[in-house]
Amino acid sequence: MNYKVKSRYQTFYEGADPEEAYQMFATLKKGGMTNIKMTPDLSAKGFLGDFVVLKNRLIFNNDYAATLVNEYLGRYETPIELVGKEIIVLNDKFVAKIVYLTKELFKKPAEITKLAKNKLGITNDVKKYQVSLQGGEKKHIFAFSKAEAIAQAKKTTDNKILNVKQLQDG
């Protein structure tokens, strides 16, 4: 699946990584941009989708939803195990309670957003960096530090990095 984070005139992210797309979306929203859209819409419930219960397994649409639910259920010391996009309930008498807790989680978009932010590290200050590459190409990268921006730039290009500077919001 392809994800896009864009305003009317500019695309900020286009790729297959839902976590990176959501991080970009949340960072831009937090920075005060109101005209940002994300397709498909991963914010709150639309991102997680539904799940199916088969005997002692909760099967989700994607791995990320299962990871967030696993993290949420971890607070309650539930006897569960995460395997890909399935949560296996190790003690059958807890299945009903775990299904109930999961359904309650899906009714709370704020809780889901909080879990997603903590998982993605958005609670730290994300800064925007402009990386100048050999050949005149410039990339905008969101990172927590200059070192992380350089590391991200190295992953995405073979060109030599000439300069990295932090951009101010606004």
Side-chain angles (χ1 to χ4, degrees):
M1 186 179 279
N2 201 23
Y3 299 94
K4 281 186 183 179
V5 176
K6 61 184 184 166
S7 67
R8 188 171 176 184
Y9 301 108
Q10 185 178 4
T11 300
F12 295 98
Y13 176 83
E14 186 170 356
D17 185 2
E19 289 186 31
E20 195 173 330
Y22 183 76
Q23 179 181 4
M24 181 78 65
F25 175 75
T27 304
L28 292 168
K29 279 285 196 195
K30 193 169 126 185
M33 293 186 79
T34 55
N35 60 343
I36 298 297
K37 289 191 172 55
M38 181 169 184
T39 56
D41 183 14
L42 300 187
S43 53
K45 286 188 185 178
F47 183 26
L48 293 169
D50 283 327
F51 64 97
V52 179
V53 181
L54 289 174
K55 293 185 181 173
N56 68 335
R57 295 169 186 257
L58 280 69
I59 303 170
F60 295 87
N61 292 347
N62 59 49
D63 293 356
Y64 189 64
T67 306
L68 287 181
V69 171
N70 183 50
E71 195 172 312
Y72 176 74
L73 293 174
R75 299 177 189 167
Y76 298 101
E77 297 178 11
T78 50
I80 58 173
E81 186 179 323
L82 177 66
V83 180
K85 56 184 180 180
E86 292 184 11
I87 290 182
I88 301 168
V89 182
L90 303 173
N91 188 336
D92 288 349
K93 68 181 183 180
F94 289 107
V95 173
K97 180 175 179 151
I98 289 171
V99 168
Y100 169 77
L101 287 171
T102 304
K103 285 181 179 173
E104 287 302 303
L105 170 65
F106 285 169
K107 292 178 185 172
K108 302 180 205 164
E111 184 70 30
I112 293 168
T113 305
K114 183 176 156 199
L115 282 169
K117 281 184 178 180
N118 288 342
K119 170 130 178 37
L120 300 173
I122 294 171
T123 51
N124 297 337
D125 267 352
V126 177
K127 299 172 189 84
K128 186 176 181 181
Y129 293 91
Q130 181 177 326
V131 180
S132 302
L133 303 170
Q134 198 171 24
E137 186 184 353
K138 293 184 181 193
K139 286 184 173 269
H140 291 274
I141 293 179
F142 291 87
F144 301 114
S145 65
K146 193 171 186 174
E148 189 183 358
I150 292 169
Q152 284 184 33
K154 283 181 181 174
K155 282 184 202 171
T156 60
T157 184
D158 295 332
N159 292 353
K160 186 177 176 189
I161 297 170
L162 300 176
N163 186 21
V164 178
K165 73 175 183 181
Q166 182 179 335
L167 300 174
Q168 298 299 319
D169 292 337

